[in-house]
Amino acid sequence: MREALSLDCIKNNSKFRQKREKPKCPNTRNYVEYADMDNKRVKFVPVSCKQWHCPVCGPRRLRELRSRARKAFTNILKHVEVKGFRKKYAIKMLTLTWPGRDRRNPSSSLIPRPEYCGEDTIEDAHREIKRNWNRLRTALKGKLGWFDQLWVVEPQQDGYPHLHVLLVGKNVVPKSILPEIRRLWCDKYGMGNVDLKPTRYFNDVNHAVNYITKYLTKAPSRLPKGLRLFGASKYILEKTWRPDPNRFQLISRGFFSTGASGNVSHIEPIWSFKSEIEIDLQQKAKKLGDWFLEQARKYRQPKLWLSWDEG
DNA sequence: TAGTGCTGCATACCTCCTTT
DNA sequence: AAAGGAGGTATGCAGCACTA
């Protein structure tokens, strides 16, 4: 009898697949030191940079955000009942744009386009479009009733923003919300265009959430620094797990910097906290040094090498 | 004049980004 | 498994315009 041909020719099934090591943030500059009271251990933990343009932190944050949004919206949709409509009509994607040439600044520091002749800088535009979204949201909630929302800012080619907003809830089911949004956004606030994606566009909540968040890791480098890139109704994105302060006791946190050679040359604790545990300082210093050396060896990041004085 | 709806503002609370 | 600051969200209230 012939042996059955395995379809798993690249040995990708769990039986063969090797466990992949979790990628580490290449921009780590901070550490925290904490005591695990349950296991009676002290740990030094690198803190990732959590920036959207980081190749490791960006995708990780995106996964977390998507997961939290999916759970929240799926839960909301479970309880939505509108007579004569299927549940999927309770999700709508709204696109709100910044007005055209008459409001843009030709001397923008990003990608200037000569045809724009307005006065607003990109920073102005971000502030203004979010302020108007705040007004629009408040007005709509007053008119339609409660709905939940998740908004994400996306830069256009020249850095000026537009907003994608996911509206979720029974009160956004009627088609008639579009003219009202247009009246406010275009006519009253003097903003750009409005687009309301038909609900059939999305297969399900996952599709909608994935679509709206896809730009978070793609284009943040085209945006000015320090801007909020997304937002949501209260409690929608609330973290479900936080470390138990009774178990994990923070001892210190700090940062390290690199010298001219690119090697780590300086470690500085910037906060120290009272701890019930007395730690021998020599032992602590040794542990900290070992930890950096271990990081450098493990992840082959020369900038993490530490010159540590054993004396 | 009273009622209604809209709007802006103040405030409390909460989340995200930057910094050390 | 950070803290602090900036700024977003939610809510109530006062002032204004409009209407019956």
Side-chain angles (χ1 to χ4, degrees), chain A residues 128-168:
Chain A
E128 188 71 6
I129 199 170
K130 285 175 194 170
R131 189 177 75 86
N132 283 319
W133 160 233
N134 197 8
R135 292 167 75 189
L136 177 68
R137 178 176 44 72
T138 310
L140 285 178
K141 281 186 178 174
K143 223 171 189 44
L144 306 171
W146 178 266
F147 56 85
D148 283 288
Q149 45 86 17
L150 167 68
W151 63 262
V152 174
V153 64
E154 182 190 330
Q156 291 167 196
Q157 192 65 35
D158 58 356
Y160 281 85
H162 63 272
L163 295 180
H164 290 304
V165 188
L166 212 54
L167 307 173
V168 183

Side-chain angles (χ1 to χ4, degrees), chain A residues 1 15 42 55 69 85 104 109 120 139 189 213 223 249 266 277 298 305:
Chain A
M1 198 172 142
K15 185 178 166 187
V42 174
F85 290 94
R104 299 191 192 207
S109 58
D120 291 304
Y189 308 152
T213 53
L223 291 166
Q249 194 175 102
H266 188 63
I277 301 179
K298 208 166 176 182
W305 278 98

Side-chain angles (χ1 to χ4, degrees), chain A residues 228-277:
Chain A
R228 187 176 278 233
L229 299 182
F230 69 94
S233 310
K234 261 188 181 176
Y235 308 118
I236 284 285
L237 302 177
E238 199 172 40
K239 282 180 182 167
T240 51
W241 183 86
R242 289 177 194 278
D244 176 2
N246 292 323
R247 180 179 169 191
F248 298 105
Q249 194 175 102
L250 202 60
I251 297 171
S252 77
R253 68 184 178 87
F255 68 99
F256 55 89
S257 55
T258 53
S261 64
N263 292 344
V264 171
S265 61
H266 188 63
I267 300 174
E268 188 177 336
I270 52 179
W271 284 98
S272 290
F273 302 87
K274 280 187 181 173
S275 169
E276 292 171 11
I277 301 179

